[in-house]
Amino acid sequence: MHPARGVRAGLAAVGAWLAVLTTGTGAALAAPAESGPTTSVRAESVRAESGRAESVRAESARDESGRPDRAQVAYLAGQLRRNPIHISDQMPRELARSAAPVLAGAAERLGGPVYVLALPVGIADVPDEKLLDAVHARLGRDGLYILLDESSVGAARPYGIGISAEEAADAAYAVSYEMPYDAGAERSFRRFVEILDSGKARQRYEAARVKYDHDSGEEPAALHTSPTDRKNQSFVTGIALAGVPVLLLVLAPYVRHWRRTLPAPSEERGNQA
């Protein structure tokens, strides 16, 4: 055998022997890590701890989802601290900010502190009452807190004044029944103040509910002409404007023929003589 070939063969044999030793040792060392009882218990413990952490995070998320946004509550409370009537700039068509003095003047009839938040529907992901509770807690001032939306009184909550929560809720419900859908926030607020000031909020609510039961489909008459009614009026007006000239043109020949068939005045006098 050639010396070089013998060296290469020897090196190859040594490499194979080292590979066998390495593989066997790695397998022997890896086996306890994969199947040993200690590692299995540790893995189960890690999985259990991870499950508990996920559960805690999910529960925390559910708790936070039912609370008003802190930044939003702080902003609204700051606005009411500067002016007890806050009208959002996101509803200029439904209620302009210039209407704040009008609302403040109407609220004077109640004889106590009144805080009004005029906000679009759905601006907060919590019930209206929870939002008012949070704003009151942040502002720290007692009074009647009212939430207006684009069309009506969404909620009313009294804190530390001579108005009960039932009276405020009945007045808000009465407004929802008595006022038509197109009444708007300002008219609805005035009606709310008038009902609450009357001291008969429960009677007004029950009477309106009987008269305008939402399930019956009967509603108070609209205050404004709807787009559909306006289109119908335009259609009728157009027919009238176009129909009258056409009718005159059609009847003109018959009128002329009728006049020709009438006897002349001289003939009538002759026949009478």
Side-chain angles (χ1 to χ4, degrees), residues 85 101-114 189 193 197:
I85 309 294
V102 178
L103 300 184
E108 290 179 357
R109 295 181 55 180
L110 299 178
V114 177
F189 180 79
V193 172
D197 184 53

Side-chain angles (χ1 to χ4, degrees), residues 42-228:
R42 188 181 298 112
E44 289 295 330
S45 177
V46 170
R47 283 195 292 270
E49 189 66 26
S50 177
R52 284 193 295 269
E54 289 295 331
S55 177
V56 170
R57 282 195 292 269
E59 189 66 28
S60 176
R62 282 193 293 269
D63 292 343
E64 289 297 329
S65 64
R67 300 174 184 174
D69 181 78
R70 293 181 180 178
Q72 183 184 46
V73 170
Y75 170 77
L76 295 176
Q79 294 299 313
L80 291 181
R81 188 171 286 108
R82 294 194 303 173
N83 189 333
I85 309 294
H86 170 65
I87 301 177
S88 172
D89 58 0
Q90 298 183 37
M91 45 192 296
R93 294 185 178 181
E94 295 81 8
L95 187 65
R97 286 189 164 182
S98 58
V102 178
L103 300 184
E108 290 179 357
R109 295 181 55 180
L110 299 178
V114 177
Y115 299 94
V116 179
L117 290 174
L119 307 173
V121 173
I123 196 171
D125 295 331
V126 294
D128 296 341
E129 292 78 8
K130 280 193 174 183
L131 179 63
L132 291 180
D133 290 343
V135 172
H136 164 254
R138 181 63 182 254
L139 184 60
R141 298 178 182 176
D142 289 338
L144 178 62
Y145 286 68
I146 303 170
L147 184 63
L148 286 179
D149 56 36
E150 292 91 341
S151 60
S152 188
V153 178
R157 303 278 281 183
Y159 306 93
I161 59 175
I163 299 174
S164 67
E166 290 76 14
E167 288 178 313
D170 288 339
Y173 284 133
V175 171
S176 68
Y177 278 100
E178 289 186 2
M179 300 299 287
Y181 69 93
D182 62 343
E186 182 178 333
R187 287 190 178 91
S188 296
F189 180 79
R190 290 181 177 180
R191 180 65 62 89
F192 170 82
V193 172
E194 183 261 318
I195 294 174
L196 196 57
D197 184 53
S198 69
K200 299 179 179 180
R202 173 53 60 91
Q203 295 88 327
R204 293 280 293 270
Y205 161 54
E206 292 179 347
R209 185 183 59 175
V210 172
K211 184 176 181 180
Y212 302 111
D213 187 357
H214 288 176
D215 294 334
S216 67
E218 185 179 0
E219 296 285 347
L223 297 177
H224 307 286
T225 304
S226 66
T228 302

